[in-house]
């Protein structure tokens, strides 16, 4: 069993990360903390800053940053997704998209650290923005995001379905495979920068 400390303010992320990592023999402990997000242009930069803010040399520390990118809005809200949703909610986004291409991508960049070593893993899911919010599962933008191959929003799909297709699940499967491989490898044969 590998222990990982997942630092986030978001209980929805914790449920999803636990469910994806459990089959890899990874046990996730939750440190509930709001990590400051600097002005940055990429999710990877934000994830890196979040990692720097947590110092736990003896164990694996996991953080992640996610965002909804709408190409017809030049990638907005992207790295500003949390801020935008908190201040404005869905209406301005739905209004902006009334006459624009509704395609969107949800992306996650996960940052993992142990001592001085750092690794990043990414995942994404394509889809479209719904005409109106629907559904009560999940959190954040789930009520307005319809993943590719589905006709319902992420919030109308069951948590199991979300965990089989989501941006976060895709990034976390990479984390799980990495940790499972590393925990099996004899210590002196471990290569630096494996990921
Ligand atoms: P942290 O403490 O981990 O930063 P957060 O909720 O602030 O939690 P992010 O900055 O990564 O997380 O998320 C940016 C925004 O995108 C925020 O409004 C989230 O609610 C939303 N979001 C993240 N993952 C999502 C998902 O799987 N489905 C819907 N919305 C999501």
């Amino acid at each position: 069993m590998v222990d990982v400390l997942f630092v986030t303010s978001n209980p929805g992320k914790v449920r999803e990360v636990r469910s994806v990592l459990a089959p890899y023999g990874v046990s996730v402990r939750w440190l509930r903390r709001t990590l400051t997000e600097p002005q940055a242009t990429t999710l990877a930069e934000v994830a890196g800053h979040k990692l720097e803010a947590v110092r736990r040399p003896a164990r694996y520390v996991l953080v992640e940053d996610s965002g909804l990118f709408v190409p017809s809005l030049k990638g907005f809200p992207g790295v500003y997704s949390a801020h935008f949703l908190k201040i404005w909610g869905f209406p301005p986004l739905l209004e902006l998209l009334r006459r624009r291409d509704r395609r969107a991508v949800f992306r996650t960049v996960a940052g993992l650290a142990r001592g001085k070593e750092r690794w990043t893993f990414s995942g994404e899911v394509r889809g479209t923005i719904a005409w109106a919010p629907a559904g009560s599962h999940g959190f954040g933008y789930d009520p307005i995001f319809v993943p590719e191959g589905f006709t319902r929003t992420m919030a109308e799909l069951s948590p199991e379905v979300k965990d089989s297709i989501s941006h976060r699940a895709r990034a976390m499967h990479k984390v799980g495979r990495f940790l499972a491989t590393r925990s099996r490898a004899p210590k002196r044969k471990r290569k630096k920068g494996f990921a």
Side-chain angles (χ1 to χ4, degrees):
M1 202 74 175
V2 184
D3 279 321
V4 165
L5 187 68
F6 183 34
V7 190
T8 177
S9 63
N10 186 327
K13 286 187 180 181
V14 179
R15 190 208 61 73
E16 294 176 16
V17 168
R18 279 191 173 137
S19 133
V20 174
L21 290 183
Y24 293 96
V26 177
S27 149
V28 176
R29 287 216 308 130
W30 178 20
L31 177 59
R32 187 173 202 154
R33 200 192 281 176
T34 303
L35 297 168
T36 46
E37 297 189 13
Q39 286 276 316
T41 51
T42 65
L43 297 179
E45 267 179 85
V46 178
H49 280 284
K50 285 180 174 178
L51 261 189
E52 290 309 317
V54 193
R55 299 212 180 275
R56 291 283 194 288
R59 58 161 69 225
Y60 286 109
V61 174
L62 177 67
V63 298
E64 64 107 288
D65 200 55
S66 299
L68 177 68
F69 296 77
V70 181
S72 67
L73 300 178
K74 298 187 178 350
F76 193 77
V79 289
Y80 309 107
S81 294
H83 205 56
F84 182 81
L85 188 60
K86 204 184 305 166
I87 295 178
W88 299 103
F90 302 137
L93 193 56
L94 298 178
E95 183 57 35
L96 280 169
L97 290 178
R98 269 159 52 101
R99 291 170 200 284
R100 289 183 172 85
D101 189 325
R102 310 184 73 84
R103 278 177 289 187
V105 190
F106 233 119
R107 297 200 173 101
T108 289
V109 174
L112 182 71
R114 178 154 188 158
K116 291 197 167 75
E117 292 184 283
R118 303 268 183 280
W119 305 270
T120 56
F121 307 84
S122 56
E124 66 173 43
V125 58
R126 292 174 185 279
T128 52
I129 301 299
W131 289 91
S136 55
H137 293 299
F139 60 90
Y141 291 89
D142 283 338
I144 61 163
F145 184 77
V146 178
E148 212 167 61
F150 293 82
T151 53
R152 290 163 181 251
T153 69
M154 202 77 114
E156 292 178 291
L157 302 173
S158 69
E160 292 73 27
V161 174
K162 180 176 179 186
D163 291 348
S164 70
I165 57 166
S166 83
H167 48 107
R168 176 165 304 103
R170 287 175 175 159
M172 291 304 153
H173 279 297
K174 293 179 185 171
V175 172
R177 281 195 292 270
F178 171 73
L179 288 172
T181 308
R182 220 172 127 86
S183 70
R184 281 197 303 267
K187 276 192 179 144
R188 60 198 158 75
K189 283 197 180 163
R190 277 183 195 165
K191 272 194 196 159
K192 262 195 170 172
F194 177 95

